[in-house]
Amino acid sequence: PPSPTSTPDVSDIPEDSFYCGTDYIDAATRCYLPCPSGSAAECPVGEACYGNTPCNSGDSFFCGDTWYDASSDCTYPCPSGLDEDCPGDSKCF
């Protein structure tokens, strides 16, 4: 096991757990923009890329007409990631 003072190897962090945010809590709460490379270059200015977020757990998919709509409102979850879980013509993002 790693010692408490060791730094985790980025390759040990699941690629689908990297998300952009102003800090870890923001990234882990909003789950709005993945950055699978782990690089802040994939994030908007003023944000960084954080790994080991819970965002890959399946509860970060939401329905909307657009990705922005789904990530802004977070009204209708679609845990399967499938459009069939969404009302009307909306899609799962």
Side-chain angles (χ1 to χ4, degrees):
S3 68
T5 58
S6 68
T7 303
D9 182 355
V10 172
S11 65
D12 293 339
I13 299 172
E15 188 176 282
D16 60 352
S17 76
F18 285 95
Y19 279 78
C20 298
T22 55
D23 57 29
Y24 175 82
I25 299 297
D26 180 55
T29 303
R30 293 194 306 154
C31 300
Y32 86 103
L33 183 61
C35 47
S37 74
S39 170
E42 295 180 87
C43 301
V45 173
E47 295 187 5
C49 185
Y50 296 91
N52 276 336
T53 67
C55 300
N56 64 343
S57 65
D59 60 356
S60 62
F61 293 106
F62 290 92
C63 302
D65 294 327
T66 64
W67 173 85
Y68 182 79
D69 178 44
S71 66
S72 297
D73 293 340
C74 301
T75 305
Y76 298 103
C78 47
S80 71
L82 302 174
D83 294 343
E84 294 88 57
D85 291 341
C86 298
D89 292 330
S90 61
K91 305 257 186 245
C92 185
F93 296 91

